[in-house]
Amino acid sequence: ATRIFSGIQPSGGLTLGNYLGALKRFVQAQDAGTETIYCIVDLHAITVWQDPAKLRHATRELAAGFIAAGIDPARSILFNQSQVPAHAELAWIFNCVARMGWLKRMTQFKDKAGKNAENASVGLFAYPALMAADILAYHATHVPVGEDQKQHLELTRDIAAKFNHDFGVEFFPIVEPVIEGAATRVMSLRDGTKKMSKSDPSDMSRINLTDDADTIAQKLRKARTDPDPLPDSLDGLAERPEARNLVNIYAALADMTPEAVVTQYAGQGFGTFKPALADLAVEKLAPINAEMSRLMQDVTEIDRILGAGAARANAIAQPILEQCYDIVGLVRSR
Ligand code: ATP
Ligand code: MG
């Protein structure tokens, strides 16, 4: 049976990239009737230092974002990672399965650690082993993520395969990445070669789901572009990453193909295209924004939802963890 798992870090506010690359597709999977488990990965967030009060706020706001975007906590399991111990426990097993050389190749570590990798946390280095645990603790079969997580998913497959091989079992499934759609990689508004991130120091680089209409319009107006009008085919955008990014965002928001967008706006300049994109973004994001604010007025209710989700998640993950311990030869006598 298909079981979908995916997660988002409470490392800041949700961005348009998270919405188009992740949330929107999470809702589609849920609405298609698939079993869906969505996790606010707070243990991942602390691989770089987080202010505790901000982390608490971001966790609740992210939960509100999931629900406002259309995740129904009755149909999907929605919870925060640290409330289900199997994630951290299975991650330890996988730290012992994964090889240093595999993790050293991870581009996200290189990007996030920057020049001074000696100073990065051990957790940031081991991040992909925890991500493998998130997925495999549920025997999830499909993982919808943005393009940036592809390498980590390949590592998850490698870890599952090595575990199965080392212990002569067929215990962990080999997961399928689900990376599709016009905007599985939304780029920064300031630099068309860098992905949009909630942790980017520049707020102008991204659109946040909490931005109001004026802010969205202003950020898009100031988004970096070139002076040329839009071409009549996508080939004409090959060397224009910033322009291509805005076309992709438009396409994803409007549920159109990027080809259809350039056909519609062929020959038009950004003076026309940017305001049209701003209107579309406001139209799609304003209802989510309003619902998030409403939900954030009652954090007790949000915490209750996360607790109930964690109990359901635990009921799936704990027996899988116990079986895994047994396979490894760890004595369980409780
Ligand atoms: P951080 O900067 O802290 O890593 P992030 O914005 O990259 O934050 P994550 O929590 O790491 O967000 O990722 C959550 C989900 O959003 C993942 O599925 C990831 O692939 C997706 N995602 C993140 N950024 C983008 C983007 N720019 N375009 C499309 N999908 C994205
Ligand atoms: Mg990220």
Side-chain angles (χ1 to χ4, degrees), residues 281-324:
V282 169
E283 178 198 322
K284 299 287 179 181
L285 300 183
I288 300 174
N289 179 329
E291 180 62 3
M292 278 173 78
S293 316
R294 194 189 66 78
L295 291 163
M296 281 303 280
Q297 282 165 12
D298 187 359
V299 292
T300 316
E301 174 61 9
I302 292 180
D303 290 1
R304 191 199 60 74
I305 290 170
L306 292 176
R312 288 166 65 203
N314 195 59
I316 301 173
Q318 190 61 29
I320 292 175
L321 179 71
E322 294 291 337
Q323 284 180 65
C324 173

Side-chain angles (χ1 to χ4, degrees), residues 246-262:
L246 297 186
V247 166
N248 281 354
I249 292 173
Y250 192 106
L253 283 169
D255 289 312
M256 287 165 71
T257 63
E259 288 83 357
V261 176
V262 285

Side-chain angles (χ1 to χ4, degrees), residues 62-312:
L62 182 48
F66 269 96
I67 297 166
I71 294 301
D72 171 2
R75 284 188 288 155
S76 292
I77 296 181
L78 176 65
F79 69 106
N80 59 313
Q81 191 184 26
S82 59
Q83 294 208 69
V84 179
H87 293 253
E89 291 189 43
L90 189 56
W92 180 258
I93 304 287
F94 290 164
N95 277 334
C96 303
V97 172
R99 306 288 93 182
M100 293 286 287
W102 298 0
L103 292 169
K104 277 187 181 158
R105 286 194 290 272
M106 295 296 113
T107 57
Q108 177 174 290
F109 176 74
K110 291 182 207 164
D111 291 347
K112 290 201 172 180
K115 289 199 174 64
N116 195 358
E118 291 294 310
N119 230 357
S121 74
V122 175
L124 189 66
F125 185 70
Y127 183 114
L130 178 58
M131 181 165 157
D134 298 338
I135 297 164
L136 296 173
Y138 300 91
H139 279 188
T141 55
H142 293 73
V143 185
V145 285
E147 246 269 316
D148 61 302
Q149 292 303 315
K150 197 169 165 216
Q151 197 184 30
H152 288 166
L153 278 183
E154 280 158 7
L155 195 86
T156 297
R157 293 162 63 97
D158 291 344
I159 288 174
K162 187 169 192 306
F163 180 95
N164 291 346
H165 177 265
D166 286 357
F167 295 100
V169 289
E170 276 190 43
F171 185 62
F172 288 117
I174 307 301
V175 294
E176 290 300 329
V178 187
I179 300 168
E180 57 194 24
T184 46
R185 197 174 186 92
V186 177
M187 307 310 280
S188 157
L189 299 179
R190 308 301 297 160
D191 176 351
T193 63
K194 247 173 70 181
K195 84 167 191 78
M196 185 181 285
S197 281
K198 63 172 108 69
S199 62
D200 191 302
S202 163
D203 195 58
M204 291 302 283
S205 71
R206 62 176 163 264
I207 290 173
N208 304 302
L209 292 197
T210 50
D211 285 343
D212 60 26
D214 289 344
T215 309
I216 293 176
Q218 191 205 25
K219 284 180 176 175
L220 285 171
R221 195 163 57 239
K222 295 204 171 150
R224 210 176 126 181
T225 36
D226 53 51
D228 297 336
L230 284 169
D232 54 14
S233 88
L234 275 189
D235 297 343
L237 291 178
E239 310 278 299
R240 300 171 63 187
E242 282 87 10
R244 176 71 212 230
N245 186 38
L246 297 186
V247 166
N248 281 354
I249 292 173
Y250 192 106
L253 283 169
D255 289 312
M256 287 165 71
T257 63
E259 288 83 357
V261 176
V262 285
T263 307
Q264 186 179 331
Y265 286 95
Q268 310 256 22
F270 285 101
T272 312
F273 185 69
K274 282 178 167 179
L277 177 56
D279 286 348
L280 176 65
V282 169
E283 178 198 322
K284 299 287 179 181
L285 300 183
I288 300 174
N289 179 329
E291 180 62 3
M292 278 173 78
S293 316
R294 194 189 66 78
L295 291 163
M296 281 303 280
Q297 282 165 12
D298 187 359
V299 292
T300 316
E301 174 61 9
I302 292 180
D303 290 1
R304 191 199 60 74
I305 290 170
L306 292 176
R312 288 166 65 203

Side-chain angles (χ1 to χ4, degrees), residues 9 41-50 108 112 119-128 130:
Q9 303 184 68
V41 287
D42 48 9
L43 298 177
H44 280 282
I46 61 169
T47 57
V48 297
W49 189 79
Q50 304 288 338
Q108 177 174 290
K112 290 201 172 180
N119 230 357
S121 74
V122 175
L124 189 66
F125 185 70
Y127 183 114
L130 178 58

